[in-house]
Amino acid sequence: MAVTIKDIAKKAGVSHTTVSRALNDHPAISKETVGRIKLLAEELDYVPSAAARGLKTNRSLVLGVIVHRIEDPFLTDVLRGIEDTLNPSEYSLFLAATKRDPEREKRVIQAMAERRVDGIIFSSLYIGVQQLRYLKQIDIPIVLINNQTMQDPDVYLVYHQDVEATRQLTQHLVDLGHRKIAYLGSARSGRTNVKRQQGYEEGLEKAGLPLCPEYIISGTTSRPENGINGMNGLLALADPPTAVICYNDMIAIGAIKAITQAGLSVPHDISVAGFDNIDLAQYVTPPLTTFHQPRYQLGQEAAKMILHILQQDKGAQRPDAVVLHGELIIRQSTVSPH
Amino acid sequence: MAVTIKDIAKKAGVSHTTVSRALNDHPAISKETVGRIKLLAEELDYVPSAAARGLKTNRSLVLGVIVHRIEDPFLTDVLRGIEDTLNPSEYSLFLAATKRDPEREKRVIQAMAERRVDGIIFSSLYIGVQQLRYLKQIDIPIVLINNQTMQDPDVYLVYHQDVEATRQLTQHLVDLGHRKIAYLGSARSGRTNVKRQQGYEEGLEKAGLPLCPEYIISGTTSRPENGINGMNGLLALADPPTAVICYNDMIAIGAIKAITQAGLSVPHDISVAGFDNIDLAQYVTPPLTTFHQPRYQLGQEAAKMILHILQQDKGAQRPDAVVLHGELIIRQSTVSPH
DNA sequence: CTGAAAGCGCTAACAC
DNA sequence: GTGTTAGCGCTTTCAG
């Protein structure tokens, strides 16, 4: 068994209450006693029990992070932002993935509830309505990352302004002289895909270009295979586009592959733009023009938000949404059409 | 306040003990009572307190996962393997990153200790000796992933057979007809780098090729920049190699970039091989020959191992190491020299 | 400045 | 089958 404050108390010849207070720097304990106790605790390798403390204080000092897929490259940086923000604080981080599996989602939320996490960060496009209701009734702050589905007063939002982003991407291609611009979407990405497509459409409209339904292809997933398939569809058109905006970089990479396999070249024959600016976007050939979503900051802001809420009094006024703006990254995959 | 077993007991007209037993399917409680209690618990939205249970049972049902950098692409899959294995079990997962920062490492381990995690999976090349000693004294199972540094009876190991892997890679290049094969390493990657280089050297030896010190370059990091720098060094040699084996795929991608920038082509002028088979290895141009490290399985095995240990009696005999073997993936970045 | 006592929510002897 | 009692390790009134 681990050493407890009682053990320390015995050795120090004081009550365990005093030990508790000393270790927590209670102002009413003499400097001398505090020093003595702390030294003793150190010597005995005392490690406080979070369980016991939590039971008493009703705070676990744990934050739950629920994601859809751990392998999502987007998530890596979000997670890093969260972890970096939490690490210096006294909070630890529970991680769990739902995989769009309701069974699993339920289990995960149940576990978080049992562990009495002090807050939850949700970075998953999909969240079951009943699960959210269940979560809400626990009465802990919930922050949703890049999920504007919920217009709920009890839920805090941190998200990136996607509409504006694809508008800028479209503008960029228009500025280069492109007139035939396609959009390669991802049907399973829900709201996010809708927003990006919306930005694309707004961009075309703003440039006075017609919206051509043939140029909008929505594959199912957001993986490279989808880019390959979608791009092949576009290449088969009587009048193929000269530029393509993809839902994300993975799809863009697939698109480039398809174009190359068709004996054409990027960007010479067709310009390709991605979205997300994943690590490798700069290393593919040609380096990818894309939109940098501030992933790290998204995680950071979400974590900061929760920490603020937890440190504030319940009633305090808080912004219930943080909107982040990314940055257009122009690389070699987009040039003027010839 | 959340509802407790006492609340349920009151409503049901039984003692709280009976409630506890009923919820845990204690054999001595009548079917009827169990059903009634469970129904009532459901209605009242009862959620057991892991803290209270843990305090009593001395098991937190939490596993700690400590990594070096969350953004390591290798880790993503390891983590997924761990999560997938843990998810169906009753265990939750604490995640923390150390970043090679002793201060942070200490804090992280401290947090894990306070939370009384039931076991720890360490996936970090580096681990401070004192921290490990500290960990060991807590007397919980510790599994190290891809870290053979510790020859310690109290520590369990799960790792990939890297030496054999680079030996195979070298063999592959030799089979293609290469005689001038270089190795682009990463000094900061410690033991792992040593193993991979060792396999390379053994491969050369086995093929009867001389070991040329000029062909072994160790950059500092394992990032693409390092590949660019290292490759530029090799290109500047009077007699540059015709093939390069890189410490990992990221470096290989950098190397390809450097070769391309020098006006040469991969694989026509120089063959390049990576290591790890990261997701994007197949999408870069040209698709990368590499060695697939079973990342997911590494995580899976580590988690399984810990779960087994925890379910076993303390004394039971357990294998203290699991060695996994990967697979050579031949793609277009390696061809015969011309 | 310090101690005694109570209790957080749960499980586990030990009774009956 | 079910209840009584104690206690896990800690914090927190309330006394002194």
Side-chain angles (χ1 to χ4, degrees):
Chain A
M1 268 323 301
V3 27
T4 74
I5 49 172
K6 281 188 188 163
D7 300 325
I8 300 177
K10 212 171 291 173
K11 287 244 183 195
V14 297
S15 75
H16 73 276
T17 314
T18 301
V19 174
S20 170
R21 287 203 267 247
L23 294 175
N24 290 306
D25 288 310
H26 190 108
I29 303 286
S30 74
K31 278 269 175 243
E32 185 261 325
T33 319
V34 171
R36 197 161 51 93
I37 303 281
K38 284 197 173 175
L39 197 68
L40 202 51
E42 184 88 18
E43 278 172 14
L44 296 177
D45 288 317
Y46 168 71
V47 181
S49 157
R53 178 184 293 144
L55 194 53
K56 192 69 194 169
T57 60
N58 257 326
R59 304 196 316 149
S60 63
L61 299 184
V62 174
L63 254 41
V65 176
I66 301 179
V67 304
H68 169 203
R69 301 184 311 137
I70 287 188
E71 65 270 32
D72 188 339
F74 169 80
L75 218 71
T76 294
D77 287 323
V78 172
L79 214 54
R80 194 163 54 91
I82 296 175
E83 217 273 335
D84 281 353
T85 310
L86 252 42
N87 194 295
S89 80
E90 43 187 0
Y91 283 85
S92 291
L93 185 167
F94 263 135
L95 177 68
T98 62
K99 306 214 164 179
R100 213 186 270 273
D101 170 357
E103 204 49 55
R104 194 155 164 163
E105 187 179 45
K106 200 171 162 190
R107 204 165 44 230
V108 158
I109 292 182
Q110 172 79 19
M112 301 270 173
E114 292 191 6
R115 302 223 146 89
R116 303 286 193 266
V117 294
D118 293 333
I120 289 196
I121 296 176
F122 223 96
S123 176
S124 173
L125 300 173
Y126 171 85
I127 171 172
V129 185
Q130 40 176 339
Q131 300 305 338
L132 185 72
R133 212 175 44 213
Y134 178 78
L135 263 184
K136 274 170 44 184
Q137 111 195 351
I138 316 182
D139 193 34
I140 55 171
I142 301 172
V143 173
L144 262 37
I145 294 182
N146 270 5
N147 184 335
Q148 303 157 64
T149 320
M150 302 291 156
Q151 295 297 358
D152 195 302
D154 295 351
V155 164
Y156 300 85
L157 265 31
V158 174
Y159 60 90
H160 175 249
Q161 184 45 284
D162 277 6
V163 177
E164 190 195 299
T166 36
R167 215 190 292 136
Q168 278 186 44
L169 274 169
T170 311
Q171 184 67 46
H172 161 65
L173 292 169
V174 169
D175 289 347
L176 285 176
H178 289 278
R179 291 286 168 269
K180 296 183 284 185
I181 306 170
Y183 176 77
L184 224 60
S186 161
R188 285 196 75 179
S189 303
R191 195 64 123 233
T192 311
N193 183 55
V194 171
K195 293 275 177 194
R196 293 185 187 175
Q197 184 173 332
Q198 183 188 333
Y200 156 78
E201 294 175 1
E202 288 183 17
L204 289 184
E205 194 183 352
K206 198 173 155 206
L209 292 174
L211 195 66
C212 173
E214 283 185 321
Y215 283 170
I216 298 180
I217 291 198
S218 256
T220 41
T221 75
S222 60
R223 311 240 67 213
E225 301 78 47
N226 186 23
I228 295 179
N229 295 336
M231 194 65 224
N232 283 333
L234 289 172
L235 288 172
L237 291 177
D239 186 23
T242 60
V244 183
I245 293 175
C246 301
Y247 168 75
N248 69 4
D249 291 342
M250 295 301 272
I251 292 183
I253 287 168
I256 290 177
K257 203 176 178 84
I259 294 171
T260 308
Q261 281 172 347
L264 298 173
S265 121
V266 178
H268 187 68
D269 300 305
I270 300 181
S271 287
V272 174
F275 201 114
D276 281 349
N277 191 30
I278 58 175
D279 254 26
L280 279 143
Q282 56 184 308
Y283 299 113
V284 295
T285 313
L288 207 56
T289 289
T290 185
F291 200 91
H292 177 78
Q293 195 174 166
R295 304 172 290 251
Y296 182 82
Q297 284 89 328
L298 281 170
Q300 210 179 23
E301 289 298 329
K304 275 198 215 160
M305 203 166 196
I306 279 217
L307 290 183
H308 276 142
I309 297 168
L310 291 174
Q311 272 143 28
Q312 226 89 35
D313 336 296
K314 264 290 169 63
Q317 208 62 27
R318 308 236 74 263
D320 54 350
V322 170
V323 184
L324 296 182
H325 298 263
E327 186 191 355
L328 178 64
I329 309 277
I330 300 175
R331 296 207 184 88
Q332 284 97 290
S333 70
T334 51
V335 293
S336 296
H338 58 278
Chain B
M1 267 327 300
V3 26
T4 74
I5 49 171
K6 282 190 186 163
D7 299 324
I8 299 178
K10 212 171 290 172
K11 288 246 183 194
V14 296
S15 77
H16 73 275
T17 312
T18 302
V19 175
S20 170
R21 287 202 265 244
L23 293 176
N24 290 307
D25 290 309
H26 190 109
I29 303 287
S30 74
K31 278 271 175 234
E32 185 261 325
T33 319
V34 170
R36 197 161 52 91
I37 302 280
K38 282 198 173 174
L39 198 68
L40 200 52
E42 185 89 16
E43 277 171 15
L44 296 177
D45 289 317
Y46 168 72
V47 181
S49 157
R53 179 183 294 143
L55 194 53
K56 190 70 194 170
T57 61
N58 257 327
R59 303 198 315 148
S60 62
L61 298 184
V62 174
L63 253 41
V65 175
I66 301 179
V67 304
H68 169 204
R69 301 185 309 139
I70 288 188
E71 65 271 29
D72 188 337
F74 169 79
L75 218 69
T76 294
D77 288 321
V78 172
L79 214 53
R80 194 161 55 87
I82 296 176
E83 216 274 334
D84 282 352
T85 309
L86 252 40
N87 195 295
S89 81
E90 45 187 359
Y91 283 85
S92 291
L93 184 166
F94 264 134
L95 178 68
T98 62
K99 306 209 164 187
R100 213 186 270 274
D101 170 358
E103 204 50 55
R104 194 156 165 164
E105 187 179 45
K106 200 171 162 187
R107 205 165 44 231
V108 158
I109 292 183
Q110 172 80 19
M112 301 270 173
E114 293 191 5
R115 273 157 191 140
R116 304 288 192 267
V117 295
D118 293 334
I120 290 197
I121 296 176
F122 225 95
S123 176
S124 174
L125 300 173
Y126 172 85
I127 173 172
V129 185
Q130 40 177 338
Q131 300 305 337
L132 185 72
R133 211 174 45 211
Y134 178 78
L135 263 184
K136 274 172 42 186
Q137 109 193 353
I138 314 181
D139 194 33
I140 54 172
I142 302 172
V143 173
L144 262 37
I145 293 182
N146 270 6
N147 183 334
Q148 303 158 63
T149 319
M150 302 292 156
Q151 296 296 357
D152 195 302
D154 296 351
V155 164
Y156 300 85
L157 265 30
V158 175
Y159 61 90
H160 175 250
Q161 183 47 285
D162 277 6
V163 178
E164 189 195 301
T166 37
R167 214 189 293 135
Q168 278 185 45
L169 274 169
T170 310
Q171 184 65 48
H172 161 66
L173 291 169
V174 169
D175 289 348
L176 284 175
H178 288 278
R179 291 287 166 270
K180 295 183 284 182
I181 305 171
Y183 176 77
L184 225 60
S186 160
R188 284 195 76 180
S189 304
R191 194 65 122 233
T192 311
N193 184 55
V194 172
K195 294 276 178 194
R196 295 186 187 174
Q197 184 174 330
Q198 182 188 333
Y200 155 79
E201 293 175 2
E202 289 183 16
L204 287 185
E205 195 182 351
K206 197 173 155 205
L209 292 174
L211 195 68
C212 172
E214 282 185 322
Y215 284 170
I216 298 180
I217 292 199
S218 255
T220 42
T221 75
S222 60
R223 312 241 66 212
E225 302 77 46
N226 187 23
I228 296 180
N229 294 336
M231 195 63 224
N232 283 333
L234 289 172
L235 289 172
L237 290 177
D239 186 23
T242 61
V244 183
I245 293 176
C246 302
Y247 169 75
N248 69 4
D249 291 341
M250 296 301 272
I251 292 183
I253 287 168
I256 291 177
K257 205 178 178 84
I259 294 171
T260 309
Q261 280 172 349
L264 298 172
S265 123
V266 178
H268 188 69
D269 298 306
I270 300 181
S271 287
V272 175
F275 202 115
D276 280 349
N277 191 28
I278 60 175
D279 254 26
L280 280 144
Q282 57 184 309
Y283 299 113
V284 295
T285 312
L288 207 56
T289 289
T290 185
F291 201 91
H292 177 77
Q293 196 174 166
R295 305 173 290 250
Y296 182 82
Q297 284 89 327
L298 280 170
Q300 211 179 21
E301 289 298 330
K304 274 198 216 161
M305 202 165 195
I306 277 216
L307 290 183
H308 276 143
I309 298 168
L310 292 174
Q311 272 144 29
Q312 225 89 36
D313 338 296
K314 264 288 170 62
Q317 209 61 25
R318 308 236 74 261
D320 55 350
V322 171
V323 184
L324 297 182
H325 298 262
E327 185 191 356
L328 177 63
I329 309 277
I330 300 175
R331 296 208 185 87
Q332 285 95 290
S333 68
T334 50
V335 294
S336 294
H338 58 278

PDB file of all heavy atoms in Angstrom, chain A residues 255-279:
ATOM      1  N   ALA A 255      -6.074  13.160 -56.243  1.00  0.00           N
ATOM      2  CA  ALA A 255      -6.384  13.820 -57.514  1.00  0.00           C
ATOM      3  C   ALA A 255      -5.120  13.965 -58.360  1.00  0.00           C
ATOM      4  O   ALA A 255      -5.117  13.699 -59.564  1.00  0.00           O
ATOM      5  CB  ALA A 255      -7.023  15.177 -57.254  1.00  0.00           C
ATOM      6  N   ILE A 256      -4.052  14.376 -57.714  1.00  0.00           N
ATOM      7  CA  ILE A 256      -2.785  14.539 -58.435  1.00  0.00           C
ATOM      8  C   ILE A 256      -2.350  13.205 -59.033  1.00  0.00           C
ATOM      9  O   ILE A 256      -1.910  13.131 -60.183  1.00  0.00           O
ATOM     10  CB  ILE A 256      -1.682  15.071 -57.483  1.00  0.00           C
ATOM     11  CG1 ILE A 256      -1.991  16.526 -57.106  1.00  0.00           C
ATOM     12  CG2 ILE A 256      -0.312  14.959 -58.131  1.00  0.00           C
ATOM     13  CD1 ILE A 256      -1.018  17.124 -56.115  1.00  0.00           C
ATOM     14  N   LYS A 257      -2.519  12.174 -58.251  1.00  0.00           N
ATOM     15  CA  LYS A 257      -2.137  10.845 -58.708  1.00  0.00           C
ATOM     16  C   LYS A 257      -2.937  10.473 -59.965  1.00  0.00           C
ATOM     17  O   LYS A 257      -2.379   9.983 -60.955  1.00  0.00           O
ATOM     18  CB  LYS A 257      -2.397   9.820 -57.600  1.00  0.00           C
ATOM     19  CG  LYS A 257      -1.562   8.556 -57.730  1.00  0.00           C
ATOM     20  CD  LYS A 257      -1.786   7.630 -56.547  1.00  0.00           C
ATOM     21  CE  LYS A 257      -0.995   6.351 -56.677  1.00  0.00           C
ATOM     22  NZ  LYS A 257       0.391   6.481 -56.196  1.00  0.00           N
ATOM     23  N   ALA A 258      -4.232  10.743 -59.916  1.00  0.00           N
ATOM     24  CA  ALA A 258      -5.097  10.418 -61.054  1.00  0.00           C
ATOM     25  C   ALA A 258      -4.673  11.198 -62.300  1.00  0.00           C
ATOM     26  O   ALA A 258      -4.607  10.658 -63.408  1.00  0.00           O
ATOM     27  CB  ALA A 258      -6.544  10.716 -60.706  1.00  0.00           C
ATOM     28  N   ILE A 259      -4.378  12.464 -62.103  1.00  0.00           N
ATOM     29  CA  ILE A 259      -3.987  13.313 -63.232  1.00  0.00           C
ATOM     30  C   ILE A 259      -2.686  12.813 -63.840  1.00  0.00           C
ATOM     31  O   ILE A 259      -2.531  12.693 -65.052  1.00  0.00           O
ATOM     32  CB  ILE A 259      -3.833  14.787 -62.763  1.00  0.00           C
ATOM     33  CG1 ILE A 259      -5.194  15.325 -62.331  1.00  0.00           C
ATOM     34  CG2 ILE A 259      -3.236  15.645 -63.864  1.00  0.00           C
ATOM     35  CD1 ILE A 259      -5.137  16.679 -61.660  1.00  0.00           C
ATOM     36  N   THR A 260      -1.747  12.493 -62.945  1.00  0.00           N
ATOM     37  CA  THR A 260      -0.456  11.994 -63.414  1.00  0.00           C
ATOM     38  C   THR A 260      -0.624  10.682 -64.175  1.00  0.00           C
ATOM     39  O   THR A 260      -0.031  10.480 -65.236  1.00  0.00           O
ATOM     40  CB  THR A 260       0.487  11.767 -62.216  1.00  0.00           C
ATOM     41  OG1 THR A 260       0.513  12.970 -61.437  1.00  0.00           O
ATOM     42  CG2 THR A 260       1.884  11.433 -62.679  1.00  0.00           C
ATOM     43  N   GLN A 261      -1.448   9.813 -63.627  1.00  0.00           N
ATOM     44  CA  GLN A 261      -1.673   8.520 -64.265  1.00  0.00           C
ATOM     45  C   GLN A 261      -2.333   8.665 -65.629  1.00  0.00           C
ATOM     46  O   GLN A 261      -2.180   7.815 -66.503  1.00  0.00           O
ATOM     47  CB  GLN A 261      -2.523   7.622 -63.362  1.00  0.00           C
ATOM     48  CG  GLN A 261      -1.713   6.973 -62.249  1.00  0.00           C
ATOM     49  CD  GLN A 261      -2.583   6.237 -61.250  1.00  0.00           C
ATOM     50  OE1 GLN A 261      -3.804   6.403 -61.247  1.00  0.00           O
ATOM     51  NE2 GLN A 261      -1.949   5.456 -60.390  1.00  0.00           N
ATOM     52  N   ALA A 262      -3.074   9.760 -65.780  1.00  0.00           N
ATOM     53  CA  ALA A 262      -3.751   9.997 -67.067  1.00  0.00           C
ATOM     54  C   ALA A 262      -2.780  10.602 -68.074  1.00  0.00           C
ATOM     55  O   ALA A 262      -3.166  10.984 -69.179  1.00  0.00           O
ATOM     56  CB  ALA A 262      -4.955  10.900 -66.860  1.00  0.00           C
ATOM     57  N   GLY A 263      -1.532  10.737 -67.673  1.00  0.00           N
ATOM     58  CA  GLY A 263      -0.539  11.276 -68.580  1.00  0.00           C
ATOM     59  C   GLY A 263      -0.513  12.795 -68.623  1.00  0.00           C
ATOM     60  O   GLY A 263       0.175  13.400 -69.439  1.00  0.00           O
ATOM     61  N   LEU A 264      -1.240  13.416 -67.728  1.00  0.00           N
ATOM     62  CA  LEU A 264      -1.229  14.881 -67.672  1.00  0.00           C
ATOM     63  C   LEU A 264      -0.335  15.326 -66.520  1.00  0.00           C
ATOM     64  O   LEU A 264       0.126  14.511 -65.728  1.00  0.00           O
ATOM     65  CB  LEU A 264      -2.660  15.398 -67.471  1.00  0.00           C
ATOM     66  CG  LEU A 264      -3.639  15.039 -68.599  1.00  0.00           C
ATOM     67  CD1 LEU A 264      -5.058  15.448 -68.220  1.00  0.00           C
ATOM     68  CD2 LEU A 264      -3.210  15.744 -69.886  1.00  0.00           C
ATOM     69  N   SER A 265      -0.132  16.627 -66.427  1.00  0.00           N
ATOM     70  CA  SER A 265       0.744  17.103 -65.367  1.00  0.00           C
ATOM     71  C   SER A 265       0.084  18.183 -64.516  1.00  0.00           C
ATOM     72  O   SER A 265      -0.719  18.982 -64.985  1.00  0.00           O
ATOM     73  CB  SER A 265       2.043  17.627 -65.983  1.00  0.00           C
ATOM     74  OG  SER A 265       2.248  18.984 -65.664  1.00  0.00           O
ATOM     75  N   VAL A 266       0.456  18.142 -63.239  1.00  0.00           N
ATOM     76  CA  VAL A 266       0.037  19.174 -62.292  1.00  0.00           C
ATOM     77  C   VAL A 266       1.261  20.018 -62.003  1.00  0.00           C
ATOM     78  O   VAL A 266       2.318  19.457 -61.682  1.00  0.00           O
ATOM     79  CB  VAL A 266      -0.475  18.550 -60.972  1.00  0.00           C
ATOM     80  CG1 VAL A 266      -0.851  19.652 -59.992  1.00  0.00           C
ATOM     81  CG2 VAL A 266      -1.651  17.619 -61.232  1.00  0.00           C
ATOM     82  N   PRO A 267       1.216  21.314 -62.118  1.00  0.00           N
ATOM     83  CA  PRO A 267       0.035  22.130 -62.400  1.00  0.00           C
ATOM     84  C   PRO A 267      -0.122  22.496 -63.885  1.00  0.00           C
ATOM     85  O   PRO A 267      -1.076  23.183 -64.218  1.00  0.00           O
ATOM     86  CB  PRO A 267       0.341  23.397 -61.601  1.00  0.00           C
ATOM     87  CG  PRO A 267       1.834  23.520 -61.709  1.00  0.00           C
ATOM     88  CD  PRO A 267       2.374  22.123 -61.781  1.00  0.00           C
ATOM     89  N   HIS A 268       0.792  22.007 -64.713  1.00  0.00           N
ATOM     90  CA  HIS A 268       0.803  22.473 -66.093  1.00  0.00           C
ATOM     91  C   HIS A 268      -0.562  22.309 -66.761  1.00  0.00           C
ATOM     92  O   HIS A 268      -1.117  23.257 -67.334  1.00  0.00           O
ATOM     93  CB  HIS A 268       1.865  21.725 -66.909  1.00  0.00           C
ATOM     94  CG  HIS A 268       2.050  22.273 -68.281  1.00  0.00           C
ATOM     95  ND1 HIS A 268       2.601  23.514 -68.509  1.00  0.00           N
ATOM     96  CD2 HIS A 268       1.736  21.772 -69.496  1.00  0.00           C
ATOM     97  CE1 HIS A 268       2.624  23.749 -69.805  1.00  0.00           C
ATOM     98  NE2 HIS A 268       2.097  22.702 -70.442  1.00  0.00           N
ATOM     99  N   ASP A 269      -1.119  21.125 -66.688  1.00  0.00           N
ATOM    100  CA  ASP A 269      -2.419  20.904 -67.319  1.00  0.00           C
ATOM    101  C   ASP A 269      -3.595  21.248 -66.414  1.00  0.00           C
ATOM    102  O   ASP A 269      -4.577  21.840 -66.849  1.00  0.00           O
ATOM    103  CB  ASP A 269      -2.529  19.446 -67.775  1.00  0.00           C
ATOM    104  CG  ASP A 269      -1.445  19.098 -68.789  1.00  0.00           C
ATOM    105  OD1 ASP A 269      -1.355  19.809 -69.803  1.00  0.00           O
ATOM    106  OD2 ASP A 269      -0.676  18.144 -68.544  1.00  0.00           O
ATOM    107  N   ILE A 270      -3.479  20.858 -65.179  1.00  0.00           N
ATOM    108  CA  ILE A 270      -4.557  21.110 -64.219  1.00  0.00           C
ATOM    109  C   ILE A 270      -3.968  21.550 -62.887  1.00  0.00           C
ATOM    110  O   ILE A 270      -3.023  20.940 -62.383  1.00  0.00           O
ATOM    111  CB  ILE A 270      -5.410  19.837 -64.004  1.00  0.00           C
ATOM    112  CG1 ILE A 270      -6.031  19.380 -65.343  1.00  0.00           C
ATOM    113  CG2 ILE A 270      -6.512  20.096 -62.980  1.00  0.00           C
ATOM    114  CD1 ILE A 270      -6.909  18.157 -65.224  1.00  0.00           C
ATOM    115  N   SER A 271      -4.544  22.621 -62.359  1.00  0.00           N
ATOM    116  CA  SER A 271      -4.124  23.074 -61.036  1.00  0.00           C
ATOM    117  C   SER A 271      -4.936  22.339 -59.977  1.00  0.00           C
ATOM    118  O   SER A 271      -6.122  22.082 -60.163  1.00  0.00           O
ATOM    119  CB  SER A 271      -4.341  24.579 -60.892  1.00  0.00           C
ATOM    120  OG  SER A 271      -3.384  25.293 -61.644  1.00  0.00           O
ATOM    121  N   VAL A 272      -4.287  22.009 -58.864  1.00  0.00           N
ATOM    122  CA  VAL A 272      -4.974  21.310 -57.784  1.00  0.00           C
ATOM    123  C   VAL A 272      -4.718  22.015 -56.459  1.00  0.00           C
ATOM    124  O   VAL A 272      -3.580  22.358 -56.143  1.00  0.00           O
ATOM    125  CB  VAL A 272      -4.487  19.843 -57.678  1.00  0.00           C
ATOM    126  CG1 VAL A 272      -5.106  19.161 -56.466  1.00  0.00           C
ATOM    127  CG2 VAL A 272      -4.805  19.074 -58.947  1.00  0.00           C
ATOM    128  N   ALA A 273      -5.791  22.246 -55.729  1.00  0.00           N
ATOM    129  CA  ALA A 273      -5.638  22.841 -54.407  1.00  0.00           C
ATOM    130  C   ALA A 273      -6.246  21.917 -53.364  1.00  0.00           C
ATOM    131  O   ALA A 273      -7.247  21.241 -53.621  1.00  0.00           O
ATOM    132  CB  ALA A 273      -6.315  24.200 -54.349  1.00  0.00           C
ATOM    133  N   GLY A 274      -5.640  21.874 -52.208  1.00  0.00           N
ATOM    134  CA  GLY A 274      -6.140  21.034 -51.131  1.00  0.00           C
ATOM    135  C   GLY A 274      -6.749  21.865 -50.011  1.00  0.00           C
ATOM    136  O   GLY A 274      -7.121  23.026 -50.216  1.00  0.00           O
ATOM    137  N   PHE A 275      -6.803  21.254 -48.865  1.00  0.00           N
ATOM    138  CA  PHE A 275      -7.338  21.959 -47.703  1.00  0.00           C
ATOM    139  C   PHE A 275      -6.799  21.263 -46.462  1.00  0.00           C
ATOM    140  O   PHE A 275      -6.815  20.035 -46.377  1.00  0.00           O
ATOM    141  CB  PHE A 275      -8.870  21.896 -47.690  1.00  0.00           C
ATOM    142  CG  PHE A 275      -9.513  22.978 -46.863  1.00  0.00           C
ATOM    143  CD1 PHE A 275     -10.284  23.961 -47.447  1.00  0.00           C
ATOM    144  CD2 PHE A 275      -9.321  23.014 -45.489  1.00  0.00           C
ATOM    145  CE1 PHE A 275     -10.869  24.978 -46.690  1.00  0.00           C
ATOM    146  CE2 PHE A 275      -9.892  24.026 -44.720  1.00  0.00           C
ATOM    147  CZ  PHE A 275     -10.670  24.999 -45.327  1.00  0.00           C
ATOM    148  N   ASP A 276      -6.321  22.023 -45.529  1.00  0.00           N
ATOM    149  CA  ASP A 276      -5.826  21.556 -44.221  1.00  0.00           C
ATOM    150  C   ASP A 276      -4.346  21.819 -44.004  1.00  0.00           C
ATOM    151  O   ASP A 276      -3.914  21.987 -42.874  1.00  0.00           O
ATOM    152  CB  ASP A 276      -6.059  20.048 -43.992  1.00  0.00           C
ATOM    153  CG  ASP A 276      -7.494  19.742 -43.583  1.00  0.00           C
ATOM    154  OD1 ASP A 276      -8.232  20.689 -43.285  1.00  0.00           O
ATOM    155  OD2 ASP A 276      -7.868  18.563 -43.594  1.00  0.00           O
ATOM    156  N   ASN A 277      -3.596  21.813 -45.120  1.00  0.00           N
ATOM    157  CA  ASN A 277      -2.147  21.958 -44.992  1.00  0.00           C
ATOM    158  C   ASN A 277      -1.551  20.929 -44.048  1.00  0.00           C
ATOM    159  O   ASN A 277      -0.894  21.275 -43.073  1.00  0.00           O
ATOM    160  CB  ASN A 277      -1.778  23.374 -44.524  1.00  0.00           C
ATOM    161  CG  ASN A 277      -0.290  23.637 -44.630  1.00  0.00           C
ATOM    162  OD1 ASN A 277       0.388  23.083 -45.496  1.00  0.00           O
ATOM    163  ND2 ASN A 277       0.232  24.475 -43.742  1.00  0.00           N
ATOM    164  N   ILE A 278      -1.802  19.675 -44.352  1.00  0.00           N
ATOM    165  CA  ILE A 278      -1.185  18.627 -43.540  1.00  0.00           C
ATOM    166  C   ILE A 278       0.318  18.663 -43.758  1.00  0.00           C
ATOM    167  O   ILE A 278       0.806  19.203 -44.742  1.00  0.00           O
ATOM    168  CB  ILE A 278      -1.725  17.221 -43.891  1.00  0.00           C
ATOM    169  CG1 ILE A 278      -1.483  16.901 -45.373  1.00  0.00           C
ATOM    170  CG2 ILE A 278      -3.208  17.131 -43.571  1.00  0.00           C
ATOM    171  CD1 ILE A 278      -1.891  15.490 -45.739  1.00  0.00           C
ATOM    172  N   ASP A 279       1.016  18.096 -42.820  1.00  0.00           N
ATOM    173  CA  ASP A 279       2.469  18.106 -42.822  1.00  0.00           C
ATOM    174  C   ASP A 279       3.087  17.835 -44.186  1.00  0.00           C
ATOM    175  O   ASP A 279       4.021  18.507 -44.610  1.00  0.00           O
ATOM    176  CB  ASP A 279       2.978  17.030 -41.870  1.00  0.00           C
ATOM    177  CG  ASP A 279       3.520  17.635 -40.601  1.00  0.00           C
ATOM    178  OD1 ASP A 279       3.074  18.742 -40.257  1.00  0.00           O
ATOM    179  OD2 ASP A 279       4.372  17.004 -39.967  1.00  0.00           O
TER     180      ASP A 279
END
